[in-house]
Amino acid sequence: QKEVEQDPGPLSVPEGAIVSLNCTYSNSAFQYFMWYRQYSRKGPELLMYTYSSGNKEDGRFTAQVDKSSKYISLFIRDSQPSDSATYLCAMCPYNQGGKLIFGQGTELSVKP
Amino acid sequence: NAGVTQTPKFQVLKTGQSMTLQCAQDMNHEYMSWYRQDPGMGLRLIHYSVGAGITDQGEVPNGYNVSRSTTEDFPLRLLSAAPSQTSVYFCASSYSGAGGGYNSPLHFGNGTRLTVT
């Protein structure tokens, strides 16, 4: 069993939809949780970062962490065609950010 | 401001050939790492370095060597290429390897696409 599981999709939604991306994990030592966005033929870039249970909002993006259920989510409101990309969750234990464990990535397509 | 630069962008090798994937960063980052990305597998850590002269193995190190003689460069060597090493390789760097998050996010290059026939 992988330490981090992420539905690979692909996921296709109409412009303006609310998107929910999810990851589950098995290692209770994970303390830092991140979402990276990867456009085609590019390297991933950090989108959201959190280290506590609950919600963190940044514009149209909300990251949610539930440590008791070992479950994290990324919500995208009012999705735009420019949000079309692969989204990867990533996590690591305390003070080991250099050894991030990534999910498989979910490919999202937002149709105009 | 170049960030993380990887060369070459594309490479085709025959089984048994060797090659070096180059990675350079101009942000004076202490931490550098190599990942491979395969369909359905996500990004997997190959090797990493927390500073010049210091390297360590990640999740999938077999078949790869690294060295870190300078802060800026972190080359990845394939000694005898195998078809199983066909993948997209990403180099990443960060200010430190401690946080991994907003205070020390990983900066990725744009990858080297390697095919081994």
Side-chain angles (χ1 to χ4, degrees):
Chain A
Q1 181 189 1
K2 294 184 190 298
E3 282 190 289
V4 180
E5 295 280 358
Q6 182 177 5
D7 186 343
L11 185 61
S12 182
V13 301
E15 183 175 353
I18 296 175
V19 176
S20 172
L21 305 167
N22 310 297
C23 288
T24 59
Y25 63 96
S26 57
N27 189 345
S28 58
F30 288 148
Q31 296 292 323
Y32 294 158
F33 304 93
M34 282 140 269
W35 287 94
Y36 279 78
R37 178 175 61 194
Q38 183 178 21
Y39 290 113
S40 180
R41 301 283 184 177
K42 297 292 187 182
E45 56 181 352
L46 183 65
L47 186 62
M48 296 281 290
Y49 163 86
T50 184
Y51 54 87
S52 58
S53 284
N55 294 349
K56 180 178 181 180
E57 195 172 309
D58 184 1
R60 296 185 295 110
F61 298 89
T62 299
Q64 185 177 79
V65 174
D66 183 346
K67 290 185 180 180
S68 62
S69 300
K70 296 190 179 66
Y71 189 89
I72 70 170
S73 298
L74 178 71
F75 299 96
I76 307 174
R77 289 185 301 280
D78 187 26
S79 56
Q80 302 295 310
S82 59
D83 295 328
S84 298
T86 296
Y87 291 80
L88 301 116
C89 63
M91 51 198 78
C92 64
Y94 174 75
N95 218 30
Q96 294 185 40
K99 297 170 77 171
L100 287 182
I101 304 297
F102 284 84
Q104 297 94 317
T106 299
E107 184 181 350
L108 171 67
S109 176
V110 181
K111 304 295 186 185
Chain B
N1 187 5
V4 178
T5 302
Q6 291 185 239
T7 56
K9 289 185 171 58
F10 302 93
Q11 183 70 49
V12 179
L13 290 178
K14 294 187 187 303
T15 298
Q17 287 185 317
S18 62
M19 79 159 296
T20 299
L21 280 63
Q22 301 291 345
C23 175
Q25 52 91 9
D26 62 358
M27 297 172 283
N28 202 31
H29 284 170
E30 288 296 320
Y31 176 87
M32 296 185 75
S33 56
W34 278 100
Y35 284 86
R36 60 177 289 174
Q37 187 173 35
D38 302 292
M41 301 294 289
L43 285 156
R44 292 181 292 168
L45 182 64
I46 304 171
H47 285 285
Y48 66 97
S49 168
V50 298
I54 306 169
T55 64
D56 206 346
Q57 297 180 350
E59 182 185 356
V60 287
N62 292 341
Y64 308 95
N65 278 354
V66 292
S67 60
R68 182 99 178 270
S69 56
T70 67
T71 299
E72 295 78 20
D73 301 298
F74 191 43
L76 179 72
R77 297 182 188 85
L78 284 70
L79 298 179
S80 179
S84 60
Q85 294 178 304
T86 293
S87 187
V88 182
Y89 291 85
F90 287 100
C91 180
S93 73
S94 65
Y95 176 72
S96 76
Y102 75 93
N103 60 340
S104 185
L106 278 178
H107 294 261
F108 284 85
N110 284 327
T112 294
R113 283 154 183 80
L114 176 67
T115 302
V116 182
T117 61

